[in-house]
Amino acid sequence: MCSYDFQPIGIIHSCYREKFGIPRQPGLVTAASATLELYAPYDCPEALAELQGFSHVWVVFVFHQALRDGWKPTVRPPRLGGNQRVGVFASRSPFRPNPIGLSAVVLEDIQCRNGHCQLKLQGGDFLDGTPVLDIKPYLPYADALPDALGGFAAQSPESGMTVVFGELATAQCAMWERAQYPNLRQLIEQVLQADPRPAYRIGREDKQLFGMRLYDIDVKWIVRGNQIEVTALLPQKMEDKVR
Ligand code: SAM
């Protein structure tokens, strides 16, 4: 059986600095932007000629933080509560024989400077540092299949959670937005509305203080019934940065 050797053509720089909190699929957090930095020699303008005519692109990437020796024929999708098993090929799990991801995202902009190009993407589900294997234009006539059946994943996952900011977090968020991340509040609200907790904790009273890293900010939050309260937005500790 042949094996193939693929080289990344680029890398994703995204707001998601850890896996916890990343949406399950693209398009669920529209406030998330990412940059796809192309490596030379793939970053030449000629290789992207006419791509600007497409509103969306498919990004083929490596689940580089899900590399494991071997694979299992079944997985436990979070949306089924983390107990029920389905075939790995009936899932979009990162843990698969070839850890390859596929996401259709908004192509916001193509930026070329001194002959080197990068893409601005919106709504991705990529961990920061994700290696990219390929980019393809999204072809609505071929890729949009409104009559397709979605099996056990027919609907977008709805958590029913509302997100509020405590007084301190409100002030801190306004400061971060002024300084660096203009749509930070919207990003946090959209990420937390999906309730990123592990499936077995959802629907239960939860006394835990949760932390999630977006950009270089540690977002602290608690759960009260069907409400998530953001309690603080702390700068990432220096020791974590150098790790
Ligand atoms: N849309 C893609 C697909 O269908 O192939 C990815 C779906 S997968 C369920 C999305 C999850 O993959 C994210 O919530 C995150 O936990 C994980 N993920 C994203 N980038 C990753 C990476 N570079 N390495 C490992 N896991 C990653």
Side-chain angles (χ1 to χ4, degrees), residues 22-25 63-65 92 101-103 125 127 130:
I22 304 180
R24 303 275 182 233
Q25 282 302 328
F63 289 114
H64 76 299
Q65 293 291 327
R92 302 291 277 268
L102 174 69
S103 293
D125 52 351
L127 178 63
T130 291

Side-chain angles (χ1 to χ4, degrees), residues 130-143:
T130 291
V132 174
L133 296 177
D134 202 358
I135 304 160
K136 298 186 179 201
Y138 178 90
L139 304 179
Y141 83 88
D143 297 337

Side-chain angles (χ1 to χ4, degrees), residues 4-224:
Y4 301 88
D5 181 16
F6 293 118
Q7 294 306 318
I9 61 161
I11 186 170
I12 295 275
H13 303 293
S14 93
C15 55
Y16 301 116
R17 302 293 161 83
E18 60 184 10
K19 284 194 277 189
F20 182 56
I22 304 180
R24 303 275 182 233
Q25 282 302 328
L28 296 176
V29 176
T30 55
S33 59
T35 300
L36 196 171
E37 176 197 343
L38 285 162
Y39 296 142
Y42 314 111
D43 60 343
C44 58
E46 308 89 280
L48 300 167
E50 299 307 316
L51 185 63
Q52 73 282 0
F54 295 88
S55 60
H56 294 70
V57 290
W58 288 108
V59 176
V60 183
F61 61 92
V62 180
F63 289 114
H64 76 299
Q65 293 291 327
L67 304 180
R68 279 196 179 153
D69 295 335
W71 65 287
K72 291 199 174 69
T74 61
V75 293
R76 290 179 295 169
R79 67 157 60 222
L80 295 181
N83 297 315
Q84 194 179 335
R85 289 190 164 277
V86 302
V88 65
F89 299 128
S91 83
R92 302 291 277 268
S93 167
F95 300 99
R96 34 194 340 105
N98 294 307
I100 292 173
L102 174 69
S103 293
V105 291
V106 174
L107 174 60
E108 270 186 329
D109 194 10
I110 300 172
Q111 296 171 343
C112 292
R113 199 165 296 133
N114 309 325
H116 300 284
C117 299
Q118 61 180 23
L119 305 186
K120 299 303 275 183
L121 307 175
Q122 185 216 32
D125 52 351
F126 313 110
L127 178 63
D128 188 45
T130 291
V132 174
L133 296 177
D134 202 358
I135 304 160
K136 298 186 179 201
Y138 178 90
L139 304 179
Y141 83 88
D143 297 337
L145 306 168
D147 301 333
L149 297 180
F152 65 87
Q155 305 298 329
S156 160
E158 289 300 327
S159 75
M161 298 299 271
T162 54
V163 179
V164 296
F165 279 62
E167 204 174 315
L168 172 65
T170 299
Q172 290 168 329
C173 191
M175 188 194 69
W176 283 109
E177 288 192 331
R178 278 193 303 275
Q180 239 171 323
Y181 307 116
N183 69 340
L184 182 62
R185 183 166 180 131
Q186 188 192 22
L187 174 65
I188 293 171
E189 284 172 348
Q190 289 183 357
V191 168
L192 291 180
Q193 262 152 15
D195 194 350
R197 288 178 296 162
Y200 68 88
R201 302 191 78 128
I202 292 180
R204 290 189 185 174
E205 269 311 301
D206 216 328
K207 298 276 177 269
Q208 180 174 334
L209 173 66
F210 288 91
M212 166 180 72
R213 175 120 348 118
L214 288 175
Y215 299 114
D216 48 357
I217 303 169
D218 283 333
V219 180
K220 301 293 184 192
W221 47 283
I222 55 174
V223 177
R224 288 190 215 280

